[in-house]
Amino acid sequence: IAQSLGVSSRTVHNIFQRFGSTPARHITKRRLERAAAYLSSAGSGRISDIAASVGFLDPAHFSRAFRQEFGTPPMAYRQAALRRGS
């Protein structure tokens, strides 16, 4: 991020810190939001494949992170999203 913006990594960290986050936390949150969008669409594939597609190589780690972010496991999130969409 810092290199693409042409600033120091410390500057990037300070910017995120002002908003109560870190670069790593921001990236993880965006990955989980993308996973939630995939889970909400019918026919999106296996949860482990979705996890891998957003950068989580360990499905158990993905499940823990997803539950922490959204308050529900990925399978329950998918089922609820598909019920809402029906």
Side-chain angles (χ1 to χ4, degrees):
I1 295 173
Q3 187 177 16
S4 66
L5 295 174
V7 298
S8 72
S9 58
R10 186 69 196 152
T11 299
V12 171
H13 181 76
N14 287 340
I15 292 168
F16 277 94
Q17 191 173 22
R18 276 189 242 149
F19 293 100
S21 189
T22 65
R25 178 69 192 124
H26 178 76
I27 291 167
T28 299
K29 184 176 177 91
R30 295 297 163 256
R31 286 178 176 168
L32 292 170
E33 288 171 352
R34 191 171 345 135
Y38 291 150
L39 289 168
S40 296
S41 63
S44 58
R46 296 180 348 189
I47 291 175
S48 60
D49 293 337
I50 291 171
S53 74
V54 297
F56 287 86
L57 301 180
D58 179 8
H61 179 241
F62 169 73
S63 185
R64 283 190 303 273
F66 192 92
R67 183 182 301 214
Q68 182 178 2
E69 183 69 28
F70 295 102
T72 186
M75 180 59 79
Y77 185 92
R78 170 185 264 173
Q79 291 168 343
L82 295 178
R83 277 193 301 271
R84 284 189 307 267
S86 303

